[in-house]
Amino acid sequence: MQIDRSNGYEAIAHTFAEARSNSIGATKVREWARNLAPGAIILDIGCGGGVPISQVLIEDGFNVFGVDASETLVQEFRQRFPSQMVECSTVEDSSFFDRKFDAVVSWGLMFLLPADAQRELIGKVARALNPGGRFLFTSPRDLCTWLDGMTGLESRSLGQKAYEACFQENGLELVGNAVDEGENYYYFACMT
């Protein structure tokens, strides 16, 4: 039996793609990206099929590289955005294209990972950012666990204090938070 490295999302890829809102998150990501230089290179980890996060970034002229562990969702991304690079890999295993990025976005992924993997991912993102690089991810503000609404698997937020401590350990600084229309809580960090 093959292990699903996509945190349950390969098994529900078509259902997820149909249910994923074309707008929730798009406005906050677009506002965040206004602080980036025109044409900045952005890594979207947990990119899924690319809608709406990668889509708004591409529409705004950014060069997006995507990583997702669901083969089905990566294929959708390739069909939608054939000129963008995308890799089918877990974030834990990805080399992030062996390059640096001006920014990294991770919408709806962080809390799907075990606590240790979240901490490791923050460090990995910090190492993949150019000086002054920016990082956005979503996860609840408070320390909590719950069952993912799509997969039924356990999700967890380390809570803002733990995320801030992890930022500091990895040369990042929390520069803001926000909540969007879907009640998703955002962390905005920057390389110090």
Side-chain angles (χ1 to χ4, degrees), residues 55-189:
Q55 181 177 4
V56 298
L57 295 170
I58 293 165
E59 287 173 355
D60 288 353
F62 298 108
N63 188 3
V64 175
F65 288 68
V67 174
D68 199 280
S70 166
E71 291 179 23
T72 301
L73 295 174
V74 165
Q75 186 58 33
E76 286 186 22
F77 187 102
R78 284 188 179 122
Q79 289 174 350
R80 280 190 184 103
F81 312 112
S83 65
Q84 305 298 309
M85 296 290 296
V86 66
E87 172 188 38
C88 186
S89 176
T90 65
V91 294
E92 297 94 333
D93 294 336
S94 177
S95 68
F96 293 166
F97 303 92
D98 294 315
R99 61 164 303 134
K100 298 276 190 173
F101 297 90
D102 300 310
V104 176
V105 60
S106 181
W107 198 98
L109 170 74
M110 185 69 76
F111 51 79
L112 298 175
L113 305 174
D116 287 346
Q118 290 186 46
R119 290 182 189 94
E120 290 171 15
L121 180 57
I122 290 170
K124 188 173 180 177
V125 165
R127 292 186 298 276
L129 285 170
N130 286 322
R134 299 186 172 272
F135 180 31
L136 172 159
F137 71 88
T138 57
S139 190
R141 183 181 194 282
D142 297 321
L143 173 67
C144 58
T145 60
W146 69 98
L147 296 181
D148 180 68
M150 297 292 294
T151 66
L153 299 175
E154 186 175 84
S155 295
R156 72 219 32 85
S157 170
L158 306 183
Q160 184 157 328
K161 287 183 182 180
Y163 289 130
E164 281 190 79
C166 195
F167 291 161
Q168 290 174 357
E169 292 168 12
N170 290 283
L172 291 161
E173 178 183 4
L174 181 68
V175 294
N177 298 100
V179 178
D180 69 18
E181 65 276 22
E183 299 184 15
N184 300 290
Y185 193 78
Y186 289 74
Y187 293 84
F188 305 111

Side-chain angles (χ1 to χ4, degrees), residues 21-49:
S21 166
N22 287 337
S23 62
I24 292 178
T27 300
K28 290 294 177 202
V29 169
R30 186 167 263 152
E31 288 171 3
W32 166 78
R34 287 186 189 135
N35 293 315
L36 302 173
I41 300 170
I42 302 173
L43 176 63
D44 184 351
I45 52 179
C47 65

Side-chain angles (χ1 to χ4, degrees), residues 8-21 72-73 76 149-151:
Y9 276 79
E10 178 58 27
I12 61 155
H14 294 294
T15 303
F16 172 74
E18 289 173 10
R20 179 68 172 103
S21 166
T72 301
L73 295 174
E76 286 186 22
M150 297 292 294
T151 66

